[in-house]
Amino acid sequence: MEIEISSCEHLVYVSEIQQEMYDSAQRRGTGIAKRSIEYLSKKISEGNAVVATENGEWVGFCYIETWSHGKFVANSGLIVSPKFRNGGVATQIKHKVFQLSREKYPEAKVFGLTTGLAVMKINSDLGYKPVIYSELTQDEEFWNGCKNCVNYEILMKKERKNCLCTAMLFVPENIKNNEAVNNQSDHNKVNSVVNAQPEIKYNNEQESHLSV
């Protein structure tokens, strides 16, 4: 199986991908917001998606969206062909698209909305944390994208404060802060070891000139 950053050669799969997105949402009774062929084709041709294939057959897909002038990035539309499910493909795709997001937008917060427990687990492993909806982008265009979701009425009744989806957020600053804390902790450990060494006392002047 190959998992690649998308290009124009992957446009042959766009109809199948869109149909499976729709069918999956219908089966679950919860929303993957419907995306048009044109929208998905643009993501694929611009290299803002990840496509998994095997022997010329479509296996899985996920794409990148940016919001609030690049301050937020969403990895959206994760879908795996029914034939290839339960084999860890979704995890591999999520890792690949997350890496792509971090490379293209290193300072952006990466977020997702999902009802799937498996996706929540993958997100958690990548460093996402559950958050309230107000922590996400407030870009109107993003929320308008939820209009095609079967749960849109619930979202609006709750004044966009919550819905059936769980919001999860990865904040790059948290990684930097954790690295700083870990580095300081390592520094303190070294100092503790050095300070714990017994003081060496020399018996005579000759010993005091020895170097190690």
Side-chain angles (χ1 to χ4, degrees):
M1 182 179 65
E2 293 184 307
I3 301 178
E4 303 172 298
I5 297 171
S6 64
S7 65
C8 291
E9 69 181 49
H10 296 114
L11 290 173
V12 295
Y13 305 115
V14 68
S15 295
E16 294 177 70
I17 290 169
Q18 189 215 33
Q19 187 61 50
E20 186 52 42
M21 282 182 171
Y22 177 77
D23 291 345
S24 179
Q26 293 296 109
R27 285 193 297 269
R28 292 189 299 163
T30 55
I32 296 174
K34 188 176 181 181
R35 301 302 187 198
S36 68
I37 291 287
E38 293 74 20
Y39 184 85
L40 295 177
S41 296
K42 189 170 186 290
K43 291 295 179 184
I44 291 171
S45 61
E46 290 179 345
N48 284 320
V50 167
V51 182
T53 59
E54 185 171 279
N55 298 324
E57 188 174 0
W58 166 71
V59 174
F61 176 78
C62 192
Y63 64 89
I64 294 174
E65 293 178 298
T66 59
W67 307 100
S68 302
H69 306 289
K71 293 180 180 178
F72 288 87
V73 175
N75 298 156
S76 302
L78 176 64
I79 194 75
V80 175
S81 173
K83 179 179 175 180
F84 295 95
R85 288 176 186 168
N86 302 315
V89 176
T91 299
Q92 294 179 64
I93 291 174
K94 278 287 289 184
H95 279 259
K96 183 73 171 181
V97 78
F98 180 76
Q99 179 185 8
L100 180 62
S101 300
R102 298 284 291 125
E103 290 173 355
K104 283 197 165 191
Y105 308 97
E107 302 302 320
K109 297 178 180 178
V110 189
F111 74 98
L113 285 170
T114 182
T115 57
L117 290 176
V119 175
M120 292 180 205
K121 174 64 168 60
I122 297 168
N123 286 348
S124 180
D125 291 343
L126 288 170
Y128 290 66
K129 303 294 182 185
V131 295
I132 57 177
Y133 280 27
S134 62
E135 294 294 309
L136 308 181
T137 179
Q138 296 307 303
D139 194 317
E140 287 297 326
E141 188 177 354
F142 169 76
W143 296 102
N144 286 339
C146 293
K147 287 182 178 179
N148 292 319
C149 176
V150 295
N151 298 316
Y152 183 69
E153 186 176 345
I154 297 173
L155 176 69
M156 297 311 294
K157 281 183 178 180
K158 293 181 176 291
E159 300 178 339
R160 288 195 336 208
K161 293 178 180 177
N162 56 66
C163 192
L164 298 188
C165 283
T166 296
M168 301 189 76
L169 184 69
F170 171 88
V171 182
E173 289 85 350
N174 290 347
I175 297 298
K176 295 176 182 177
N177 292 338
N178 287 340
E179 288 176 349
V181 169
N182 290 337
N183 289 339
Q184 184 61 44
S185 177
D186 291 341
H187 178 72
N188 291 339
K189 288 177 182 177
V190 170
N191 284 341
S192 295
V193 171
V194 171
N195 293 332
Q197 296 300 317
E199 182 181 357
I200 299 175
K201 295 182 179 180
Y202 301 106
N203 293 325
N204 55 51
E205 186 178 351
Q206 184 179 3
E207 282 186 331
S208 69
H209 291 300
L210 296 174
S211 62
V212 291

